[in-house]
Amino acid sequence: MDLQLSGRVAVVTGASKGIGLAVVRTLLAEGARVVAASRKTTPELDALAGPSLLHVPVDLMDHDAPGQVVERAVREFGGLDVLVNNAGGPPPGVRLPRSSFLEADDGQWLAMFEFNLFAVVRAVRAALPHLIERGGGAIVNVSSGNARQPSPMNVDYGAAKAALNNLGQALSEEFAARGVRVNTVSPGPVRTAWWTDEGGVADMFAAQAGTDRDTVMDSVVPETMGLTIGRMIDPQEVADAVVLLASPRSAGTTGAEFVVDGGFLKTV
């Protein structure tokens, strides 16, 4: 299927690994020109280097960073058609999961909302004039199943993502008439570095369960989180949904939430 993305300009945040890297790779394969924003690059992102890819090293906790990334895309590639707000999760200095709501102080709550909500607000604010100038475009926000399935281990994260879902719905209502579609993709547990790195979440769970990280990801997580497909999600599976929503082939879809969670959410 031709997603009609050839020549279009996209900004992707959190682009150096995991879901963001998969989104960048897929957009490039579809012929898009991509500005990849992340604190630092990775060998995997460097391997995609070429005239259609620009990496911008930024810390999205810096209030000016989202606007700088958007302006760089416009300057380098002449405009903007797609914004993928993928960066999220624990901000620098914050570690998840927690054992209780009582573990997080005000500073950690503020940092979580800065990274997972306010950075998105700033990116959207910067991007909208350029999207509208081009006659419209697409914004895709990467949220989480925890936005609708609260967890005491990640309560501040879930609250920030719930706010992100609300933001996306409100934006879709206001800007659809001006050609800008806004949709949300909500992954479940994705097999990314947050889980797989040494000292990551899989190792934390493995220590508690008296097992190893591979057993945690292959068996413990799918069982305890009720993943009906029996496994964690691959980043590419989330990226496929993101890129489809970014594409003109989804021109009739706005204000929607696409769930890619392996059956994690059970509600209607």
Side-chain angles (χ1 to χ4, degrees):
M1 178 188 294
D2 178 9
L3 294 183
Q4 301 173 6
L5 286 165
S6 182
R8 294 179 185 263
V9 180
V11 164
V12 181
T13 66
S16 63
K17 56 188 177 180
I19 295 169
L21 178 67
V23 170
V24 171
R25 184 183 294 117
T26 306
L27 285 168
L28 290 172
E30 291 293 330
R33 294 172 289 172
V34 182
V35 174
S38 62
R39 281 192 291 271
K40 56 185 179 181
T41 189
T42 59
E44 294 80 8
L45 182 60
D46 290 341
L48 301 175
S52 294
L53 176 63
L54 172 67
H55 176 246
V56 179
V58 291
D59 182 352
L60 293 175
M61 297 293 281
D62 176 352
H63 292 192
D64 294 329
Q68 292 169 353
V69 173
V70 168
E71 291 306 317
R72 189 75 185 276
V74 172
R75 186 166 67 249
E76 296 292 334
F77 292 131
L80 184 66
D81 303 290
V82 174
L83 171 64
V84 178
N85 289 304
N86 168 71
V94 175
R95 186 177 177 89
L96 295 178
R98 309 185 194 282
S99 62
S100 167
F101 161 80
L102 296 173
E103 279 192 15
D105 60 22
D106 282 3
Q108 290 172 318
W109 271 84
L110 288 169
M112 190 67 71
F113 270 73
E114 277 287 344
F115 192 43
N116 289 277
L117 179 65
F118 296 132
V120 174
V121 169
R122 296 176 186 117
V124 170
R125 188 184 292 134
L128 275 169
H130 300 289
L131 296 173
I132 292 168
E133 182 182 354
R134 300 268 273 200
I139 298 172
V140 184
N141 297 325
V142 178
S143 183
S144 168
N146 282 139
R148 292 201 284 128
Q149 181 60 54
S151 166
M153 294 190 297
N154 302 316
V155 61
D156 48 345
Y157 172 72
K161 289 300 192 182
L164 179 63
N165 286 17
N166 188 288
L167 171 68
Q169 187 69 47
L171 291 169
S172 73
E173 287 292 315
E174 180 173 358
F175 293 100
R178 303 179 78 175
V180 180
R181 298 180 298 105
V182 185
N183 292 290
T184 299
V185 174
S186 291
V190 182
R191 204 170 181 122
T192 62
W194 190 64
W195 287 90
T196 61
D197 278 356
E198 185 173 352
V201 179
D203 280 347
M204 294 170 62
F205 285 173
Q208 295 170 4
T211 184
D212 59 84
R213 76 172 70 162
D214 288 334
T215 300
V216 165
M217 291 185 288
D218 293 341
S219 301
V220 176
V221 170
E223 291 173 8
T224 58
M225 298 188 73
L227 306 183
T228 52
I229 66 172
R231 61 172 177 82
M232 296 175 69
I233 306 302
D234 186 271
Q236 186 62 53
E237 294 171 315
V238 183
D240 288 342
V242 170
V243 175
L244 178 61
L245 288 170
S247 161
R249 298 299 292 263
S250 295
T253 303
T254 194
E257 180 189 12
F258 278 38
V259 175
V260 186
D261 71 352
F264 170 64
L265 292 173
K266 309 297 184 185
T267 55
V268 176

